[in-house]
Amino acid sequence: IRESATLTRDVLEQHFNDLKGTLKKLLDERLMSLLQEVDAIEQESIKPLDECQKLIEHGVSTADDLLREGESAVHGDVGQQNEKLCSFTKKALHIQLDSLPEVPSLVDVPCLSAQLDDCLLTILKNQIFRHGTVASRPPVQLEEFVEKPGGILVRWCKVDDDFIPQDYRLQYRKSTASHFEDVYVGSETEFIVLHIDPNVDYQFRVCARGDGRQEWSPWSVPQIGRTTLVPHEWTTGLEGYSLSSRRNIALRNDSQSCGVLYSKAPTYFCGQTLTFRQVLSGIETVGQPDRRDSLGVCVEQQNGYDSLQRDKAVCISTNGAVFVNGKEMTNQLPAVTSGSTVTFDMEVVQLGPSSNEGGNFKLRVTISSNNREVVFDWVLDQCCVSLYFGCSFSYPGWKVLVF
């Protein structure tokens, strides 16, 4: 409680300090804009009046000079009167003392004033008093973390019965990082976060957006999640496949070389879920299907095969056929297409002496594809709790992510 209260105080203080700074900046910008408008009107309106004043002052000055010259001619010496009167007469004939420049009427002269509406303060006051809320309990909380190879399956749930969620928003950060980042936004209540380093703590939090609302709810209580499982990786060096930087995505290239691409190590353990997801390649399509194509798991790597449809392996072909130890089953799954997800789940159901079927180790296998699944027992002659996974495609364009 104390930690969240302290954090909430810090967030509120920071937010309102930012608001005050932004409001002051906006008010200063508006004031400057209005002052510049006053300056522009003043300069534009005063210019013709200044010119008119200069013309009037020049005319008055000229008339005053002429008047003094006339007085001097009248009161001067008799010998110079005629000459001065002649000069005065010539000047008087050339200037127009009975004309003035047009002066605008008083109603046409601008008179500046500021129009300020006090209702802005009322509007701001009402908005400010309604701005922000303090919630004691977020409407959604993190519920479960499930370890995945190189990832964590995060589940969350709604804890407020009156809250109707429209979208969820999941964020995470490394324990050493200072900022959270978005990892999922959508309507689901679980998400597998990939690219997680093993044995490293990550902090997660989730919030929700109510139906028809734009704002997000308060964040859930942050929780720590981690995985101890190393990420699944394809093995490098097979000529027919190009791998992503993390080696969890394989693309069948246009090389003529073919064969089975195996995992780097037997990192799939019984009790886990192994997922293959067909993703779009750069040409936005999947490759041409072939009956030899396969996605599956096997006991060991065996070179020299062009498919997992062999002994000590279970797989699904891109046309949906399921093979166990090289034999096709009667049950069929939907064909693998762009965006398809195929999952393998296995559990140990028998250990001990040889069974009637000739093996002493039995795994119950569930293969799911496009909301359909097949379940069968896979009998082996050796104990295997960790398996390799693999894929084989005959034509370029197939691109598969494993996790």
Side-chain angles (χ1 to χ4, degrees), residues 37-245:
E37 190 174 344
V38 170
D39 293 341
I41 295 174
E42 180 186 26
Q43 293 175 8
E44 182 181 357
S45 303
I46 205 71
K47 183 177 179 181
L49 294 178
D50 284 341
E51 292 176 353
C52 182
Q53 181 179 0
K54 290 179 181 178
L55 288 174
I56 293 174
E57 290 176 350
H58 177 71
V60 170
S61 176
T62 302
D64 188 51
D65 292 342
L66 185 61
L67 177 62
R68 284 195 292 271
E69 186 175 344
E71 292 176 346
S72 175
V74 171
H75 301 293
D77 297 337
V78 176
Q80 296 179 345
Q81 275 186 346
N82 291 334
E83 183 179 349
K84 288 183 178 182
L85 287 172
C86 183
S87 174
F88 170 78
T89 303
K90 288 181 179 180
K91 288 182 179 180
L93 291 174
H94 284 88
I95 63 172
Q96 297 178 347
L97 298 178
D98 58 347
S99 64
L100 289 173
E102 183 179 0
V103 179
S105 63
L106 189 60
V107 295
D108 294 330
V109 177
C111 179
L112 281 72
S113 62
Q115 306 298 312
L116 301 173
D117 192 349
D118 291 338
C119 73
L120 174 63
L121 294 177
T122 303
I123 296 173
L124 286 176
K125 181 180 178 181
N126 293 334
Q127 292 293 329
I128 289 172
F129 283 162
R130 289 198 303 264
H131 181 68
T133 57
V134 176
S136 59
R137 286 181 176 83
V140 291
Q141 292 286 6
L142 295 168
E143 184 178 31
E144 184 182 18
F145 297 101
V146 180
E147 292 186 49
K148 296 289 183 180
I152 300 175
L153 172 61
V154 184
R155 292 193 176 104
W156 54 89
C157 63
K158 186 181 72 165
V159 294
D160 185 350
D161 294 335
D162 297 329
F163 184 78
I164 302 176
Q166 175 180 304
D167 292 305
Y168 298 99
R169 181 182 180 187
L170 177 67
Q171 290 189 336
Y172 83 127
R173 68 179 179 185
K174 264 187 177 181
S175 56
T176 55
S178 57
H179 298 289
F180 283 91
E181 60 180 274
D182 287 342
V183 69
Y184 173 77
V185 175
S187 59
E188 300 296 328
T189 56
E190 65 177 37
F191 183 76
I192 296 179
V193 183
L194 299 176
H195 306 154
I196 295 291
D197 296 328
N199 302 308
V200 174
D201 286 341
Y202 286 80
Q203 198 171 40
F204 295 85
R205 66 182 185 181
V206 67
C207 66
R209 181 161 49 197
D211 189 21
R213 304 295 293 271
Q214 294 295 322
E215 70 278 6
W216 292 99
S217 73
W219 291 104
S220 66
V221 177
Q223 295 189 41
I224 299 294
R226 64 158 46 198
T227 182
T228 59
L229 306 176
V230 296
H232 291 319
E233 293 182 12
W234 299 105
T235 190
T236 59
L238 191 60
E239 186 178 347
Y241 294 88
S242 305
L243 305 183
S244 63
S245 59

